[in-house]
Every structure is written in C-alpha cells, then in structure tokens.
Amino acid sequence: MDKIQVVYWSQGGNTQAMAEAIGRGIEEAGKEAEVVFVSDASIDALKEANVFALGCPAMGAEVLEENEMEPFVCDVEAFASGKTIALFGSYGWGDGQWMRDWVDRMVAAGANVLNGEGLMAHEAPDDDAISDCVALGNQLASA
Ligand SMILES: Cc1cc2nc3c(=O)[nH]c(=O)nc-3n(C[C@H](O)[C@H](O)[C@H](O)COP(=O)(O)O)c2cc1C
C-alpha cells in the first residue's frame, strides 16, 4: 500500500502542525503517511492515489496561498474526480469562507471531500484541534 500523502502550505507553522497531526493519525491507524510541503510534493503521487489530504491556511482575502498552493490545487482539480480528499487549514480573522469555497471547488471537480467539509483550526491548533486532526488521519487511513 502506498503512503497516504498529506500535502500542505504553511507560513507560520499552524497548518503544518495540523498536517503533522493528521500524519500521526494515519500512522496510528496502521498506514504510512508522507507529510510534505507543497513545493516538495509529487503531483504524480496524488494522481495515483485514491485518498489524500490537502492543507492551506486562509490567505489573501479568503483565498488559498496564491504562488504555490493555488496552482497545485488547479492541477489537482484536473484529476480529482472520484478521489477522496481531506481538506484542512488554519485561519485568523475570517469565518472560514476560504474553506467553504475550497470544498465547493473540489466537489465541483468530482471529489468526495471527507466529511463534506474541511477541518479548520483558529490560528495555532489547540489540543482539541490536534485531536480532530489525528481523528481525520485515522479516517483517511480507513477511507
Ligand atoms: C497575508 C495573510 C493573509 C491572511 N488572510 C486571511 C483571511 O483572509 N482570512 C482569515 O481568516 N485569516 C487570514 N490570515 C490569517 C492566517 O490564515 C492565520 O494566521 C493562519 O493561522 C496562518 O496559518 P499558517 O501558520 O499555517 O501560515 C492571513 C494571514 C496572512 C499572513
């Protein structure tokens, strides 16, 4: 079984902490995880995978980070149909619009977004948010 890819972008480390907890959840559940910053990620590995996770904080004005994550997500949209994708990220002052838009976008591309919604943490994930990330990793391992 191939590793489950957890691909993220993070500037301040909050979304990275979520990604690492998701990776721990995957491994706790008995699968291998590859937690990678988007610039090191393999688009081919995602093409071949049925299940993976993508993470990005709210940036700009309720959008994905535009230089690396946005083009990567555009590439993923082209082959997302039928795949199970977990979305996650941290946010600050907004109300989660970036994540709702991201979910809608992946659903429109034909993906099955795990739980029908993205997992969000307000700024640095607290213990509850980290537990939710570990649980999401468990789910990915059995999806
Ligand atoms: C340039 C910039 C733009 C941001 N835009 C938003 C935004 O539109 N909505 C929001 O809720 N938070 C916004 N934030 C706050 C970040 O989403 C928040 O601090 C998050 O925890 C950063 O995650 P990271 O540590 O993984 O980089 C922005 C932060 C920066 C630096």
Side-chain angles (χ1 to χ4, degrees), residues 9-16 57-62 90-94 123:
W9 184 93
S10 180
Q11 184 171 57
N14 297 336
T15 304
Q16 179 177 355
M59 294 298 286
E62 299 298 329
S90 174
Y91 68 101
W93 52 83
E123 297 291 358

Side-chain angles (χ1 to χ4, degrees), residues 5 7 36-38 40-47 72 79:
Q5 304 284 317
V7 177
V36 281
F37 197 87
V38 63
D40 299 323
S42 159
I43 199 85
D44 289 335
L46 295 194
K47 263 185 209 163
F72 191 84
F79 59 81

Side-chain angles (χ1 to χ4, degrees), residues 12 15 35 47 58 65-66 75 83 87 94 113 115-116 133 135-136 141:
T15 304
V35 180
K47 263 185 209 163
E65 184 278 327
E66 288 173 294
D75 287 347
K83 307 224 184 248
L87 301 178
V113 174
N115 300 320
C133 291
L136 189 70

